[in-house]
């Protein structure tokens, strides 16, 4: 009888360990971000550190220069893909050079970006359309000189309704404790 009980306990422990391993594998977190000036990158690094997430930098095929990012210049950037012109055109999809081969491994994606013209940069649309995030939990975060994240969140929810969007956060001036409290929700 003792052997049967011991055997049952051992089988139970193996099953529990296997279940725990599968549960841990299913909670893998990705922190994908685009940063033009480094502010969003710093926020992404903080978030990744706190949530034990893997970092993925969303990179434009053609990097944005300081002149490209001059929001006062309505024709900023000398090519067709100008930041002001991009934001004026809802169909603009600047090319990215990402190679994210293991997206299927992640259930949760924190998605970071600067706010441009009260929206996520069009580069974020390119990323969302290149990689199918349907059914994944996506939590936006942003940096901004003066805008909130609410309009960007609203626009992303409308454009990509198959994504399980969660409440985002504007990262300006947040502390490590603020991020911990936000990511616990």
């Amino acid at each position: 009888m003792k052997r049967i009980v011991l055997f049952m306990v051992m089988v139970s422990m193996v099953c529990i360990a296997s279940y725990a391993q599968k549960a841990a594998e299913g909670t893998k977190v990705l922190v994908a971000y685009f940063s033009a000036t480094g502010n969003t990158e710093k926020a992404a690094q903080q978030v990744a550190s706190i949530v034990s997430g893997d970092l993925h930098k969303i990179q434009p095929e053609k990097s944005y220069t300081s002149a490209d990012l001059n929001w006062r210049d309505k024709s900023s950037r000398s090519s067709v893909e100008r930041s002001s012109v991009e934001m004026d055109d809802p169909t603009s999809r600047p090319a990215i050079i990402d190679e994210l081969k293991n997206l299927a491994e992640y259930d949760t994606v924190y998605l970071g970006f600067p706010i441009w013209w009260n929206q996520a940069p069009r580069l974020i649309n390119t990323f969302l359309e290149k990689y199918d995030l349907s059914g994944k939990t996506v939590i936006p975060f942003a940096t901004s000189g003066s805008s909130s994240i609410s309009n960007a969140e609203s626009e992303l929810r409308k454009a990509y309704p198959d994504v399980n969007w969660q409440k985002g956060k504007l990262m300006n001036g947040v502390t490590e404790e603020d991020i911990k409290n936000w990511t616990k929700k």
Side-chain angles (χ1 to χ4, degrees), residues 24 53-54 61 123 133 167 171 182:
D54 296 333
E61 193 171 84
L123 201 70
L133 299 179
K167 180 77 176 131
M171 303 300 277
W182 169 61

Side-chain angles (χ1 to χ4, degrees), residues 63-80:
S63 296
Y64 294 93
T65 66
S66 296
D68 295 334
L69 300 173
N70 181 358
W71 62 272
R72 290 184 176 112
D73 181 356
K74 292 189 183 215
S75 63
S76 60
R77 206 170 197 178
S78 59
S79 73
V80 175

Side-chain angles (χ1 to χ4, degrees), residues 25-26 28 100-107 132-133 136:
E25 289 170 0
K28 201 164 178 187
L100 182 57
K101 296 179 181 178
N102 57 345
L103 182 62
E105 295 177 14
Y106 300 98
D107 293 321
D132 182 13
L133 299 179
K136 294 192 181 296

Side-chain angles (χ1 to χ4, degrees), residues 40-60:
T40 307
E41 182 169 37
K42 288 176 190 168
Q45 290 168 343
Q46 285 182 298
V47 171
S49 174
I50 290 168
V51 301
S52 300
D54 296 333
L55 274 172
H56 175 74
K57 186 173 186 173
I58 302 168
Q59 298 182 69

Side-chain angles (χ1 to χ4, degrees), residues 17 37 41 76 102 155 165 175:
T37 62
E41 182 169 37
S76 60
N102 57 345
E155 293 295 318
W165 293 101
T175 65

